[in-house]
Amino acid sequence: LLQVMLVIDAAVSHLENLACLEEYLCGLGRKHQALGVKVESFSTVGESLLFMLEKCLGPAFSPDVQEAWSQLYGAVVKAMQRGWESCPEGD
């Protein structure tokens, strides 16, 4: 969980320029692949993140806030998947 939050923190900190995290996120995707993590697990983590935000923010977790977080998390996952796909399984 700590690692997930560090990645989310990096994404929020570089919100205006997520492209600068591309190499880092691609590398992270390759590491996850090497560890045998399934791509489908990213959906579960994303759902958990949104659930946590909803519980912590309460009424402030509006549909617009939910959409913004969903888009941010989606961008992180897409970058990780690019790293995943650039590395054949087993490498």
Side-chain angles (χ1 to χ4, degrees), residues 3 30 32 47 55 76 87:
Q3 292 298 333
R30 286 189 294 274
H32 278 71
E47 290 169 11
K55 294 302 172 194
V76 167
C87 182

Side-chain angles (χ1 to χ4, degrees), residues 5-19:
M5 295 315 296
L6 291 174
V7 171
I8 296 300
D9 181 59
V12 169
S13 297
H14 295 88
L15 196 56
E16 298 298 320
N17 185 16
L18 283 178

Side-chain angles (χ1 to χ4, degrees), residues 2-84:
L2 176 59
Q3 292 298 333
V4 172
M5 295 315 296
L6 291 174
V7 171
I8 296 300
D9 181 59
V12 169
S13 297
H14 295 88
L15 196 56
E16 298 298 320
N17 185 16
L18 283 178
C20 73
L21 295 177
E22 180 74 15
E23 185 176 336
Y24 167 70
L25 293 173
C26 284
L28 198 55
R30 286 189 294 274
K31 286 180 186 176
H32 278 71
Q33 182 191 42
L35 292 172
V37 175
K38 302 293 181 203
V39 174
E40 298 80 32
S41 298
F42 294 138
S43 295
T44 303
V45 172
E47 290 169 11
S48 298
L49 173 67
L50 291 176
F51 179 79
M52 179 204 58
L53 287 167
E54 180 181 12
K55 294 302 172 194
C56 290
L57 296 176
F61 193 68
S62 67
D64 288 342
V65 170
Q66 180 178 359
E67 180 61 23
W69 277 104
S70 293
Q71 286 185 16
L72 176 66
Y73 185 75
V76 167
V77 168
K78 283 181 185 176
M80 289 178 68
Q81 285 178 317
R82 284 191 289 275
W84 197 290

